[in-house]
Amino acid sequence: MAVLAASWATPVALNAVRLDLVLLPILVLSIASTVRIGGVLLDRLVASGLLLCGALLILGLLASVWPWGLSPVPVSGVLLSAVGGAAWWSGRKPSLPWRVRGTDAVVLGTAAVVWHYVHHPIAGKSPVERLGALVTAEDRLTHLSIFDTIHRVGGYAFLHQDAARVSLQPPTEAVYPEGSHLVLAWLDVFRTSSTELGSMIAADNRYFTYVLAAYALLCAAVVWAARWVGGPRLRGWRAAVVCSTVAAVMIATPAAIMIPAGFDSELIGLLFLVVAVALLVRSAMGRTEFVLVGVAGMVTVAYTYNIYAVYIGAALLAALVVDRRRFRPRRTAIWLSLVVGGAVALVPSVIMVLSDFDVKKQAVTGGAMIPMDRSTLVGLGLLGLVAGLMPRNRRIGAVQSLLLTVVSAWGLLLAFAAFQIYETGKLSYYFEKMAVGGLMLALVALGGAGYVLRPIARNGFASRSVQRWTEPVAAVAAAAAALSLFGGIQWGVPSVGGKPSAWHESELARWGRGEHTGKLGPAAEAFATRDIQRVSTPVLTLYTNDGYSNWRMTFFAQTLLHRAGVVPQFDEMLKVQIGGRPEDEQKYRDSLAHLRIAIGRSPVPPTLLVGDKQVADRLDRDLNGTGTRTASVLYAPLEP
C-alpha cells in the first residue's frame, strides 16, 4: 500500500509545484531498477527508455477517452503503480547496475557532438528568429499541426477525427502515424506542467528542439545498438573500432537531411527501430523482459513510422527461432502475449486501412528523398553476412539472430523494390525510406562484425607497463582512424588544393553552418510578429511572387491559427504568383483567376496579406470592386 500511495502522491506533489519534468527520470529509473536487462547502467537506461515510450503510446489510447486527457498526474500514477506492482509481484528489490564501459564515452560523445551541430543554427536566437530553420518544408508544418491537434483534443487524432479535421488536412487525422507526436506532446506536458499549448510560436520552437534532440539520440542509439549486439565479449580496441566506425558513419551520413526535409516521424521511428532490434537480437534478459521489449518495440515503431514495423517483425521472429530452447518452457504464454501486443501495435494501421486511404497508391508515391549511397548499404550488409557465417560466430546467438534479421530485411527490401518497379517502372519515395531503415540495421550489424577482429595478446609484451597502455592507445588510435576513414575527419591536415574536406561537405556540417535555413524565414517572422494580430482564419499570404512560397506560407499561417484543416481548399495558391513587386500583366491576370478560385473555396471571406502596396490596392479593387466583399486585403510588406 505504501508503494501505491507513493505512486500517486509523488506526481500530485510535483505537479503542485510545476516540476512534472522530474517525473520522467523517476519513471525511467523506476523501470530500470525493476527490470533485469544487461549489466551496464547505460544499457539498462536505454532499454527502460524504450519500455517507457511503449507504455506511453499504449496509455495514449486510454488517455484519448478518459476525462483527464494528457495530464501528467494520471499517466504517472498509473505507470508508477504498474512498476511498483510488478516489483511486488515478482519479489524483486530495486536494483541498478552501476557498471560503466569505456565505450560509453563514444556513445554519449556522439550524442553531444551531433547535438552541438544540430542546435548551433538556432542557439542564442529568439523563438521568432528560429522560424527560418524550423519552417524548411511542408512536412514539418504537418508535424506541427499533428502536435498541436494532439494537445488540443487530448489524445490520438485518429480517435477524435471530427475534432481533428479543424487543424489537420484530411485524411491526415486517420492515416498518418501519430506516435512520435504523442510522445513529444507528453514530453511537452511534463516540461511545461500544463496540457495547454500556450503560444504557438513558443510551442513550435519546443517541438523543434525535441526533434533536434531526437536526431542526436538516434545517432548515439545506433552506436549503442552496435555495441549491445557485440555483447560483453566485444571489448578493448575492437569495441572502440566498432563504436567509432558507426559514430563516424552516422555523423557523415546524408541522413542529417531529415532535419531540413521535415522527416520528423521517420527519424524518431528509426530511433525506436535500432534500439528495439538490438535488444531483441541479443536478448540478454529474462523471458518476461523479452516479451515487454518485443511489445514495446512493435508499438513504438508501428505507431511512429509503421513501414518499419516489418523490420521489427523480422527481428522478433529471428530471436524466437534462435533462442527457441530458452523460450520453450513458456512458449504458449510468450506467443500469446506477443500476439496480443502485436494486435495493439496494429490499431493505428488498421484504422488507416479501414479509411478511404489508398495504401497501394501511397506505396508508390513520389517525394523528397535522402541521397543515400547504395554502396554503404550493400557493403555493410555484406560485412554483416560475412561475420555471421564465420565459424567462430556460429555459436553466438546474437550474431545468428542478427544475421537472420539482416537477411530478412534484405528480402523485404528487395520485394518492395520489385513491387515498385512492377507498378511504376522505378524506385521512389518509400523505397528510399525503407533503404534508410536497412542502412541502420546494417550499422547495428557491425557489432557482430567486430568479432572478425582479434584481441591484442597481452603476453606478447615484456613489460607490464607496456601491456597496461597498449589497449587504451590502440583503442584511441582505432577511433581516430575510423573517424578519418568513414567520417572524413582530417585532424588539421590541410586538404589538397585547399578544397573542403569530406566532413566539411557533409549534411550535418552544412546544417550546423546554417546552410539549410528555409526561404520562408522573413515571411514567417513578419506573420508571427505583426500580421497574426491583424487576421483571423482563414488567411491567404501573398508576400512574394512565388506560388509555392505563397502556398507554404499560407499553410504555416493556418498552423499558427490552429486551423490547418482548411489548407487543402487553398491548393490553387500554388499558381498564384503575385504579391511582391509587380511583374508582367499576363502573370497578374492568370494569378488573379487562380486566386478567385481559392477565395471561392474558403468557408468565409478570407484575409489576404499582400507584400506590395501597389498589388494590394489593385487586388482590393479587382476583388471587391462590385460592392460584394469577397476578401479583405491588407498591405503587409516584408521589409519595414
Side-chain angles (χ1 to χ4, degrees), residues 97-412:
W98 296 106
R99 192 165 67 89
V100 298
R101 294 183 62 178
T103 45
D104 286 352
V106 182
V107 177
L108 300 177
T110 300
V113 169
V114 174
W115 170 253
H116 167 75
Y117 280 97
V118 298
H119 188 256
H120 186 263
I122 64 173
K125 295 183 179 180
S126 69
V128 172
E129 291 172 332
R130 294 180 176 187
L131 293 178
L134 189 155
V135 189
T136 51
E138 58 267 24
D139 277 17
R140 172 75 36 70
L141 301 180
T142 299
H143 294 306
L144 293 174
S145 298
I146 299 174
F147 179 71
D148 172 30
T149 302
I150 287 176
H151 260 285
R152 184 170 56 82
V153 303
Y156 288 113
F158 62 76
L159 296 178
H160 297 275
Q161 293 187 23
D162 290 338
R165 290 189 188 100
V166 174
S167 49
L168 290 179
Q169 300 184 55
T172 303
E173 75 283 352
V175 305
Y176 200 89
E178 302 167 15
S180 63
H181 312 90
L182 183 78
V183 169
L184 297 186
W186 236 320
L187 172 60
D188 196 55
V189 167
F190 279 95
R191 177 180 172 179
T192 62
S193 293
S194 174
T195 56
E196 299 297 324
L197 197 61
S199 163
M200 194 62 182
I201 297 295
D204 286 354
N205 274 271
R206 294 196 303 271
Y207 171 86
F208 189 47
T209 304
Y210 303 151
V211 171
L212 296 180
Y215 185 76
L217 289 176
L218 166 62
C219 294
V222 181
V223 179
W224 171 85
R227 189 189 74 174
W228 170 267
V229 167
R233 284 176 289 185
L234 187 67
R235 292 180 170 277
W237 82 281
R238 297 188 301 165
V241 168
V242 169
C243 292
S244 300
T245 298
V246 176
V249 173
M250 287 305 300
I251 66 173
T253 179
I257 208 168
M258 287 191 288
I259 299 173
F263 294 166
D264 303 349
S265 291
E266 180 182 359
L267 71 87
I268 295 176
L270 290 169
L271 169 60
F272 290 137
L273 174 68
V274 296
V275 172
V277 167
L279 289 170
L280 289 173
V281 299
R282 190 175 81 83
S283 52
M285 61 194 79
R287 289 185 287 261
T288 300
E289 280 86 352
F290 177 82
V291 170
L292 292 174
V293 167
V295 172
M298 289 188 290
V299 168
T300 52
V301 175
Y303 278 48
T304 302
Y305 211 69
N306 50 11
I307 65 171
Y308 291 147
V310 293
Y311 291 148
I312 288 293
L316 190 55
L317 290 174
L320 289 170
V321 169
V322 172
D323 290 339
R324 57 189 179 277
R325 293 181 180 177
R326 183 162 67 93
F327 296 136
R328 187 172 296 158
R330 298 288 186 271
R331 180 174 53 191
T332 301
I334 290 172
W335 276 94
L336 180 60
S337 300
L338 291 174
V339 167
V340 172
V344 174
L346 288 174
V347 168
S349 298
V350 169
I351 292 175
M352 176 190 71
V353 172
L354 294 178
S355 68
D356 295 331
F357 188 66
D358 190 335
V359 178
K360 181 178 179 180
K361 180 180 178 181
Q362 185 68 17
V364 294
T365 191
M369 295 179 287
I370 300 174
M372 195 66 67
D373 188 358
R374 295 281 194 276
S375 62
T376 304
L377 173 61
V378 174
L380 289 173
L382 290 174
L383 185 59
L385 179 64
V386 170
L389 295 177
M390 291 189 67
R392 74 180 70 172
N393 290 342
R394 291 176 187 171
R395 291 176 294 178
I396 302 176
V399 176
Q400 295 306 307
S401 181
L402 187 61
L403 175 62
L404 283 177
T405 301
V406 171
V407 170
S408 300
W410 270 20
L412 292 167

Side-chain angles (χ1 to χ4, degrees), residues 261-615:
F263 294 166
D264 303 349
S265 291
E266 180 182 359
L267 71 87
I268 295 176
L270 290 169
L271 169 60
F272 290 137
L273 174 68
V274 296
V275 172
V277 167
L279 289 170
L280 289 173
V281 299
R282 190 175 81 83
S283 52
M285 61 194 79
R287 289 185 287 261
T288 300
E289 280 86 352
F290 177 82
V291 170
L292 292 174
V293 167
V295 172
M298 289 188 290
V299 168
T300 52
V301 175
Y303 278 48
T304 302
Y305 211 69
N306 50 11
I307 65 171
Y308 291 147
V310 293
Y311 291 148
I312 288 293
L316 190 55
L317 290 174
L320 289 170
V321 169
V322 172
D323 290 339
R324 57 189 179 277
R325 293 181 180 177
R326 183 162 67 93
F327 296 136
R328 187 172 296 158
R330 298 288 186 271
R331 180 174 53 191
T332 301
I334 290 172
W335 276 94
L336 180 60
S337 300
L338 291 174
V339 167
V340 172
V344 174
L346 288 174
V347 168
S349 298
V350 169
I351 292 175
M352 176 190 71
V353 172
L354 294 178
S355 68
D356 295 331
F357 188 66
D358 190 335
V359 178
K360 181 178 179 180
K361 180 180 178 181
Q362 185 68 17
V364 294
T365 191
M369 295 179 287
I370 300 174
M372 195 66 67
D373 188 358
R374 295 281 194 276
S375 62
T376 304
L377 173 61
V378 174
L380 289 173
L382 290 174
L383 185 59
L385 179 64
V386 170
L389 295 177
M390 291 189 67
R392 74 180 70 172
N393 290 342
R394 291 176 187 171
R395 291 176 294 178
I396 302 176
V399 176
Q400 295 306 307
S401 181
L402 187 61
L403 175 62
L404 283 177
T405 301
V406 171
V407 170
S408 300
W410 270 20
L412 292 167
L413 191 58
L414 290 174
F416 189 53
F419 165 76
Q420 285 199 335
I421 292 174
Y422 175 78
E423 291 290 330
T424 65
K426 62 179 180 180
L427 301 175
S428 59
Y429 185 65
Y430 282 106
F431 172 81
E432 300 300 335
K433 289 182 175 292
M434 290 289 287
V436 172
L439 173 64
M440 298 301 165
L441 295 184
L443 284 170
V444 174
L446 282 180
Y451 289 117
V452 175
L453 304 173
R454 296 181 63 85
I456 295 176
R458 294 184 178 275
N459 57 5
F461 299 94
S463 170
R464 288 182 176 272
S465 61
V466 173
Q467 293 180 21
R468 186 166 51 249
W469 287 103
T470 298
E471 195 75 43
V473 170
V476 171
L483 290 169
S484 294
L485 290 170
F486 304 104
I489 308 297
Q490 296 183 181
W491 307 109
V493 177
S495 302
V496 177
K499 295 181 180 179
S501 65
W503 157 246
H504 185 271
E505 293 301 301
S506 69
E507 294 297 337
L508 182 60
R510 292 183 62 202
W511 170 265
R513 294 194 298 269
E515 294 181 13
H516 284 298
T517 301
K519 297 180 180 179
L520 292 185
E525 291 185 28
F527 184 82
T529 58
R530 179 193 65 200
D531 296 331
I532 194 172
Q533 309 297 330
R534 309 167 66 197
V535 302
S536 58
T537 57
V539 58
L540 303 178
T541 63
L542 297 173
Y543 289 117
T544 71
N545 291 331
D546 181 71
Y548 179 59
S549 296
N550 286 335
W551 175 84
R552 196 161 65 172
M553 189 58 220
T554 296
F555 190 176
F556 178 62
Q558 294 297 148
T559 299
L560 294 186
L561 295 168
H562 311 282
R563 290 294 185 272
V566 76
V567 171
Q569 301 178 52
F570 299 149
D571 284 351
E572 203 72 17
M573 289 287 292
L574 289 165
K575 304 172 185 177
V576 179
Q577 300 179 17
I578 54 175
R581 181 173 299 176
E583 295 187 4
D584 62 88
E585 180 65 18
Q586 189 60 47
K587 180 179 289 188
Y588 176 85
R589 292 184 180 277
D590 292 342
S591 296
L592 179 62
H594 294 298
L595 182 59
R596 290 185 189 276
I597 295 174
I599 292 173
R601 292 173 178 170
S602 177
V604 296
T607 299
L608 273 60
L609 297 173
V610 185
D612 182 81
K613 183 67 166 63
Q614 181 180 340
V615 176

